[in-house]
Amino acid sequence: MIKVFQSAEYPCSDWLGLCLDSVRDWCAAQGFEYQFLDDTLFERVPRPLREKLQGRTPILADLARLTLLREHLAEEGGIAIWLDADTFILDRRWTPDLEQEASFGEELWLEKSEGEDIRSFRQPHNAFMMFRADNPVLPFLHHVAHSMIARVDPAAIAPQMVGPKLLKALHSLASFHLHPEAGALSPGLAEELVAGRGPLIQRYRAAARPETKVWNLCGSLACQGSHLSNLQTLVRKPELFDLLAS
């Protein structure tokens, strides 16, 4: 059995609803079971940590999803997949490598720095995670993430501390299996896709990556500039992503 889980960290909207619909359609096409969770997801985080993380919903979600997936695999077995709610499926025919014990998405994060230089980061992300039953990675991630939050000063809890930042640090040692087909969209790249041109698009093409089938749209950054407007455009005109084809 393969089951896909999602939960929204912020209120639903038209563009987010289209993202959720795309994942449901993908699950139906692939024959995967699907479950959307409400705020009860966060009850899986121990109360002391919930109190410590009050107002830090994304970090709570990073912890809760690990517990959710671990509990599901212990009870049901099979394969469990997590997709953030702001995930947009471009190709319902894409199937991840189901033979892997554990795998994550891989982003090519592109942004402009001062002087119009381009900063580029290729790294794992936890908006897409997949685990088989009895894998050793998920219990370890669960232990490390909860231990870190329990011990750290609340003022020093950085965004993505037990999400992408933790994965990036561990990936340098463990070399996780990554899916470049499950990427993440920076606000800068989203802006250029809507505009139809730009240096970030050219840099992405030059990287000659496998075609991205699943995009995490980084809705947590919707408050930055025109990112929200760009997301609303992209989910209604997914053909704009064709500009990234090398």
Side-chain angles (χ1 to χ4, degrees), residues 43-64:
E43 295 175 3
R44 291 170 172 79
V45 179
R47 181 177 297 275
L49 297 189
R50 295 205 306 269
E51 294 174 352
K52 189 173 187 177
L53 293 170
Q54 189 172 5
R56 309 293 296 276
T57 303
I59 303 175
L60 278 170
D62 284 339
L63 293 178

Side-chain angles (χ1 to χ4, degrees), residues 39-193:
D39 288 348
T40 57
L41 170 72
F42 303 112
E43 295 175 3
R44 291 170 172 79
V45 179
R47 181 177 297 275
L49 297 189
R50 295 205 306 269
E51 294 174 352
K52 189 173 187 177
L53 293 170
Q54 189 172 5
R56 309 293 296 276
T57 303
I59 303 175
L60 278 170
D62 284 339
L63 293 178
R65 69 186 66 176
L66 296 175
T67 300
L68 168 71
L69 298 178
R70 189 185 67 166
E71 290 177 349
H72 169 74
L73 290 175
E75 295 172 2
E76 304 291 339
I79 296 174
I81 298 174
W82 173 272
L83 288 172
D84 279 4
D86 54 350
T87 297
F88 189 59
I89 307 288
L90 284 182
D91 188 349
R92 296 188 308 169
R93 298 167 298 177
W94 178 70
T95 304
D97 184 352
L98 300 175
E99 297 302 316
Q100 298 296 324
E101 285 190 321
S103 59
F104 306 91
E106 181 190 67
E107 64 187 27
L108 177 61
W109 189 265
L110 298 172
E111 60 185 31
K112 296 177 185 175
S113 59
E114 293 184 8
E116 295 301 302
D117 291 334
I118 296 175
R119 302 174 65 195
S120 173
F121 306 93
R122 188 169 66 91
Q123 55 200 13
H125 66 82
N126 69 336
F128 174 94
M129 301 192 297
M130 184 174 69
F131 301 100
R132 296 183 68 90
D134 299 324
N135 79 90
V137 177
L138 178 56
F140 178 72
L141 279 179
H142 183 277
H143 169 74
V144 172
H146 283 72
S147 175
M148 288 173 62
I149 295 299
R151 291 180 289 113
V152 72
D153 184 328
I157 300 176
Q160 302 185 330
M161 181 177 184
V162 293
K165 288 187 176 180
L166 176 58
L167 286 183
K168 182 179 179 180
L170 294 176
H171 180 58
S172 64
L173 301 172
S175 188
F176 298 128
H177 182 84
L178 305 181
H179 289 285
E181 300 89 351
L185 186 70
S186 69
L189 187 56
E191 183 174 5
E192 290 191 3
L193 288 174

